[in-house]
Amino acid sequence: MKLLFVGTNPENTGAATHFVTLAKAMSEAGHAVEGVVSRRGLIGEGFEAAHIPIHYSAFRNVYDVRGYTTVLRRVRAFKPDWLVGNFGKEYWPLIACGRLTHTPVALFRHRTPRMSKLSEYGIPRMAQRFIAVSNYARNAYLAWGVPPELVSISYNPVDTAQFRPDPELRALVRRELGIADDAIVLGYVGRMHGGKGVTTLMRAANEAMAVNDKLHVLWVGNGIEENMLHEMAASSGYAQRHHFTGWVADTERYCNTMSFLAFPSVEPETFGRVAIEAQACAAPVLGSNIGGIPETLQDKVTGFLIEPGNVAAWRDAIISLCDPARRDAMGQAARAFAIEHFGNAAVARDFEALLNRPHHSRPHGHHAHA
């Protein structure tokens, strides 16, 4: 199968990571893949690192002639079986290019906020595949009035060769951070703002630190509440056991360092890629029972689902995973779970099957795992 991925947003987001990893997964599975990408940002860098042929261009808006010219030129030369898009500003241009060249179009939707009435009606009906990244997101689109047969599910792939247990890297990063080898490291990866539940996690972690003197917290990311978290850590009495990295691109270094991960959002998440990345590194996950997060782990097997915003419940769950026997068993199950359901090979297999099925047959994807 030939696939032309078109993603010209110069951004560093989960959607961009999804786009790169899916393209890489399809290439590894033996499909011919090319990309039309921006010269700046994660997507271009990721395609280049994966040795996927790339052609630079951009869609500043739906009328940008440069983008159309590049895509149409590549379609005529490459003759792809599918155009694959990931970003809202490219939905209508790709549909137009697909119609002009008789090439089917597969479009991913990563967000649940509503589109314009025209886009909500037209895009799922005019694209040959309209794809949600979780069952939670799919249900949101059905609530818009999109017919169920038009919305498929394809979960985010995670490169489990990149995100894997690495004891040497774990020891190296802990030394860099000044964390003892035998410490228990609770990790957080993501933006730091109110909807992410970071203050709930800070309070719960501080209460758990009072119970277990080996517990540390590793904060990876930045955001508008970062300074507040620094202040809460400084006044907690456990400042030396809170470690802040700021924003980083290579999160696999830090996922490897963690004993387990917290995903404490108090507002719905469409999915939760970081939960899969952590599990691929054999780190169990504590996740809020909200939005698409329950689809990213197996409750009581690879981690625990917890009531959003409930400090006492989060404290108790953190203390529970300080038990090494429980944590190790869950970590082994987490790695197996990530490979089976979200590894490159599994997602490439399922995405190929999704593209090959008849257009109006019943949508399918992975089942929810909560």
Side-chain angles (χ1 to χ4, degrees):
M1 187 182 297
K2 292 183 176 182
L3 304 169
L4 180 60
F5 280 68
V6 181
T8 66
N9 276 17
E11 61 181 47
N12 298 299
T13 62
T17 301
H18 164 267
F19 200 63
V20 171
T21 310
L22 180 62
K24 182 178 178 182
M26 298 306 288
S27 178
E28 290 174 351
H31 302 284
V33 178
E34 290 192 3
V36 175
V37 303
S38 170
R39 288 186 181 274
R40 297 180 293 116
L42 187 154
I43 296 175
E45 295 170 1
F47 273 59
E48 184 176 350
H51 304 293
I52 294 172
I54 50 179
H55 311 275
Y56 294 115
S57 192
F59 280 99
R60 290 170 297 182
N61 53 54
V62 298
Y63 307 108
D64 196 330
V65 174
R66 293 180 305 168
Y68 285 97
T69 300
T70 305
V71 172
L72 291 172
R73 184 183 299 127
R74 292 316 308 159
V75 170
R76 293 191 179 104
F78 184 45
K79 296 180 172 58
D81 298 296
W82 285 88
L83 292 172
V84 182
N86 218 38
F87 303 97
K89 70 178 181 179
E90 292 159 354
Y91 287 171
W92 285 114
L94 289 180
I95 288 172
C97 290
R99 291 297 177 99
L100 286 169
T101 61
H102 306 288
T103 306
V105 176
L107 299 176
F108 282 87
R109 182 72 181 168
H110 288 263
R111 304 174 63 234
T112 55
R114 300 197 67 154
M115 298 187 286
S116 70
K117 290 184 178 179
L118 176 62
S119 292
E120 285 183 4
Y121 182 84
I123 287 170
R125 290 166 174 83
M126 297 184 74
Q128 284 65 47
R129 298 289 184 273
F130 182 67
I131 307 167
V133 296
S134 67
N135 193 55
Y136 168 77
R138 181 175 185 268
N139 287 336
Y141 308 150
L142 299 188
W144 297 353
V146 181
E149 67 273 13
L150 298 185
V151 190
S152 303
I153 300 173
S154 180
Y155 284 134
N156 281 229
V158 169
D159 188 341
T160 54
Q162 176 184 4
F163 287 88
R164 60 182 176 83
D166 186 335
E168 292 184 2
L169 179 61
R170 174 189 178 102
L172 173 64
V173 176
R174 286 192 173 205
R175 283 197 300 272
E176 291 175 355
L177 295 170
I179 300 175
D181 287 341
D182 64 347
I184 301 164
V185 179
L186 163 62
Y188 171 85
V189 178
R191 288 173 291 133
M192 296 174 176
H193 65 71
K196 294 293 186 179
V198 289
T199 56
T200 295
L201 180 61
M202 175 64 80
R203 292 188 182 100
N206 285 335
E207 292 184 14
M209 284 178 173
V211 176
N212 192 310
D213 61 8
K214 289 190 175 182
L215 179 64
H216 289 239
V217 185
L218 175 59
W219 302 89
V220 181
N222 60 12
I224 59 175
E225 293 195 356
E226 184 178 2
N227 288 339
M228 181 188 299
L229 293 177
H230 279 277
E231 291 170 2
M232 292 175 71
S235 63
S236 68
Y238 306 110
Q240 299 305 311
R241 290 155 65 186
H242 287 280
H243 310 269
F244 294 86
T245 69
W247 185 88
V248 299
D250 53 343
T251 56
E252 68 272 15
R253 296 183 83 244
Y254 298 100
C255 286
N256 244 298
T257 304
M258 298 169 188
S259 307
F260 55 103
L261 175 92
F263 199 157
S265 297
V266 294
E267 295 176 357
E269 302 276 354
T270 305
F271 185 61
R273 180 183 188 84
V274 67
I276 306 303
E277 293 174 343
Q279 288 173 95
C281 293
V285 172
L286 302 178
S288 286
N289 193 8
I290 189 173
I293 296 174
E295 299 176 58
T296 68
L297 62 98
Q298 287 181 302
D299 189 26
K300 301 180 180 65
V301 178
T302 70
F304 294 107
L305 291 172
I306 307 164
E307 179 186 353
N310 186 329
V311 173
W314 279 88
R315 176 201 63 215
D316 293 346
I318 292 168
I319 293 170
S320 175
L321 277 184
C322 287
D323 180 314
R326 177 180 293 113
R327 188 172 65 247
D328 290 348
M330 284 189 160
Q332 291 179 25
R335 170 72 178 170
F337 173 73
I339 292 172
E340 180 180 357
H341 296 286
F342 303 100
N344 280 7
V347 172
R349 176 198 65 218
D350 292 346
F351 186 53
E352 179 181 358
L354 187 159
L355 296 181
N356 282 333
R357 67 170 170 77
H359 179 37
H360 291 297
S361 66
R362 188 172 183 270
H364 65 280
H366 300 304
H367 297 292
H369 306 292

